Amino acid sequence: MNDIIKVSHLTYKYLQNELPALDDVSFSIPSGAWVAIVGHNGSGKSTLAHSLDGLIDFKQGQVFIDGVELTEANVWKVRSKIGMIFQNPDNQFVGATVEDDVAFGLENMAVPHDEIQARVDSALAQVQMSEFRHKQPDQLSGGQKQRVALAGVIAMQPKIIILDEATSMLDPIGRQEILGVIKRLRRKLGITVLSITHEMDETTSADEIIVLNDGKIIESGKPSLIYAHSDLLLKLGLDVPYSQRLKEALKLRHIQTPQAYSDEKGMVDWLWQSLLKA
Amino acid sequence: MAITFKSVSYTYQPNTPFEFHALNEISTKIEDGSFTALIGHTGSGKSTFLQHLNALLKPTSGTVLIEDATITHETSNKNLKPLRKKVGIVFQFPEKQLFADTVKKDIAFGPENFGSTPEEAGKLAKKMIELVGLPVSLLDRSPFELSGGQMRRVAIAGVLAMQPNVLVLDEPTAGLDPSGRQEIMHLFTSLQQSQHFTIVLVTHQMEDVANYANHVIVMEHGKIVKEGRPREVFADVEWLHDKQLDVPASTEFAFEMVKRGFHFDKLPLTEQELADDIAAMFKRRRRSNE
């Protein structure tokens, strides 16, 4: 399995005397995977994302993207492999219209006009925003703006998409739209997705979850494994999936519940087995 | 302080090609001391409704009664200032509205504009920063050096410094992490108890509606399509699903159980209620096995 992202012993301090924002972080992500990084505000999640994209000049540790070590000399080359979506939909809309916005990155790369046209068309189709191509940003909802941001990223044909709390300012429908698009993109284009979030619902489709606290990785594994440690997640100020919260509430009422994590459907099945089955 | 809407309609840019009917014949009453939750999709008219609560917008037709002041299409802007002091609105992402070079000046800005002396306003700033749970030592710092959660509290303190009777909150926890969300909601409920506020909350978090509100208004296409206590509104899960609105996670879970043949006298709204109901089912099962 080839690792498209590899981080080894990454440490970063914003101020010399402060505690490190990242403290000896190492992990790797296989090509095509969806990895969610969770942690409360200030846990180091965004610092980590910014280091991968060369937005932060770290002094200790190494980052490899698609087999190449990130250095000052090749930061632009590495960056062209990564597309980032940030939290605030209004802060990343630069074009006057939807199609201008999607074309912005390509124009900067001096891509020929015909090809820009083709790539913009295809990117807008991927995020289902083709009919909005002539709209202005103030005519769009937050979810639609984030989809345009995603189209701008897709048009650059990156290998990796990093979502830095990209849904946290959206309403529930906007959030579903974005997650739906991401799932489809992964299936169709095999893009590697790194999502940084504090919404546990958004981690259920991930292949792996990395839990960060005070700049350190304190746990990583499949969602079912991470969710089963709900006491740890709650202690870190994170949410746990609803089924797990219910299980904790039942334990307090002296009801024996299954050890392993199960989703809501699994919990209803278990209740049916224990209570209704003849 | 009660606020009553009588057949309120509001049209943006009337008699132009851009005419848009944001509110259609809205009638409702926000009772004194109540905790009202306003739910509905983006574009359903929630924000337009909010702006009528302190006459930032005046109805195109119909009347809004804010305590004993009547607001209609014809009300002049001249006498609205005292009303705006009584109804404080915390807009979405209020930290974006911070502007002063110290926290103290930012919080004191409102009261000073309403005639407080700088000394009085300064004292008020100190009181309010304590009320929102921040250390007094932050008063002389720049608000822009603070964390996102702290900035939001400073912005809220700025609204509280006007000493309103009604607090209107437009998605006050959006963008915060789970513990930040909880802290802010606790802050509002404790304020409601200690200061006897009337609260109007716009939210997409149905857990918060179930846990805190005693009155829910559901809006769609500029109309109120359902209204009542949370238990009444959330009783019709299918209707809400149909409108693509969420219900509290516990109600959703119980609804799934009902589909599998379980029975609830009334659908639970919170985790505690659901866990109690399930515990009672286990007890009954044990008894019938014995």
Side-chain angles (χ1 to χ4, degrees), chain A residues 5 7 14 28 44 47 57 69 72 97 113 120 130 159 161 166-167 183 185 191 196 208 213 215 217 219 248 251 265:
Chain A
I5 298 175
V7 171
Y14 281 96
S28 53
T47 310
D57 181 19
E69 185 180 355
E72 216 174 308
T97 65
H113 183 264
V120 169
S130 301
K159 296 196 164 176
I161 293 183
T167 66
K183 281 180 199 162
L185 287 177
I191 293 180
I196 291 174
E208 189 185 346
N213 193 49
I217 293 182
E219 190 149 48
E248 297 295 323
K251 272 189 211 155
K265 193 181 163 298

Side-chain angles (χ1 to χ4, degrees), chain A residues 126-181:
Chain A
Q126 301 276 8
V127 301
Q128 294 171 336
M129 285 293 288
S130 301
E131 55 180 309
F132 295 89
R133 61 184 311 141
H134 299 300
K135 298 268 187 212
Q136 293 157 21
D138 63 331
Q139 296 169 304
L140 304 178
S141 70
Q144 289 170 334
K145 280 181 209 165
Q146 288 297 67
R147 269 149 73 193
V148 174
L150 252 176
V153 159
I154 298 164
M156 303 293 284
Q157 302 173 336
K159 296 196 164 176
I160 302 163
I161 293 183
I162 299 179
L163 305 160
D164 190 358
E165 302 200 21
T167 66
S168 72
M169 288 175 80
L170 305 180
D171 64 11
I173 290 187
R175 182 168 291 162
Q176 286 314 318
E177 284 173 6
I178 291 294
L179 292 175
V181 168

Side-chain angles (χ1 to χ4, degrees), chain A residues 86-93 146 164-166 169, chain B residues 93 96:
Chain A
F86 297 96
Q87 184 178 30
N88 191 334
D90 292 313
N91 289 354
Q92 44 196 330
F93 209 111
Q146 288 297 67
D164 190 358
E165 302 200 21
M169 288 175 80
Chain B
F93 304 107
K96 282 188 193 163

Side-chain angles (χ1 to χ4, degrees), chain A residues 1-21:
Chain A
M1 199 77 205
N2 67 323
D3 290 330
I4 190 147
I5 298 175
K6 190 164 180 283
V7 171
S8 89
H9 305 292
L10 186 62
T11 296
Y12 183 78
K13 286 181 181 183
Y14 281 96
L15 289 171
Q16 212 35 252
N17 309 326
E18 273 183 7
L19 287 170

Side-chain angles (χ1 to χ4, degrees), chain A residues 48-121:
Chain A
L48 180 56
H50 295 172
S51 325
L52 298 182
D53 204 26
L55 291 170
I56 277 174
D57 181 19
F58 53 87
K59 299 278 187 291
Q60 282 169 274
Q62 291 167 297
V63 169
F64 297 87
I65 303 291
D66 201 13
V68 179
E69 185 180 355
L70 176 64
T71 61
E72 216 174 308
N74 66 12
V75 63
W76 286 99
K77 191 151 185 289
V78 167
R79 236 175 240 175
S80 71
K81 296 181 181 178
I82 302 178
M84 279 189 90
I85 312 281
F86 297 96
Q87 184 178 30
N88 191 334
D90 292 313
N91 289 354
Q92 44 196 330
F93 209 111
V94 292
T97 65
V98 166
E99 60 179 3
D100 285 356
D101 193 70
V102 177
F104 181 79
L106 298 171
E107 283 167 349
N108 280 328
M109 305 294 287
V111 175
H113 183 264
D114 291 349
E115 194 184 337
I116 290 186
Q117 202 77 45
R119 285 213 220 168
V120 169
D121 287 348

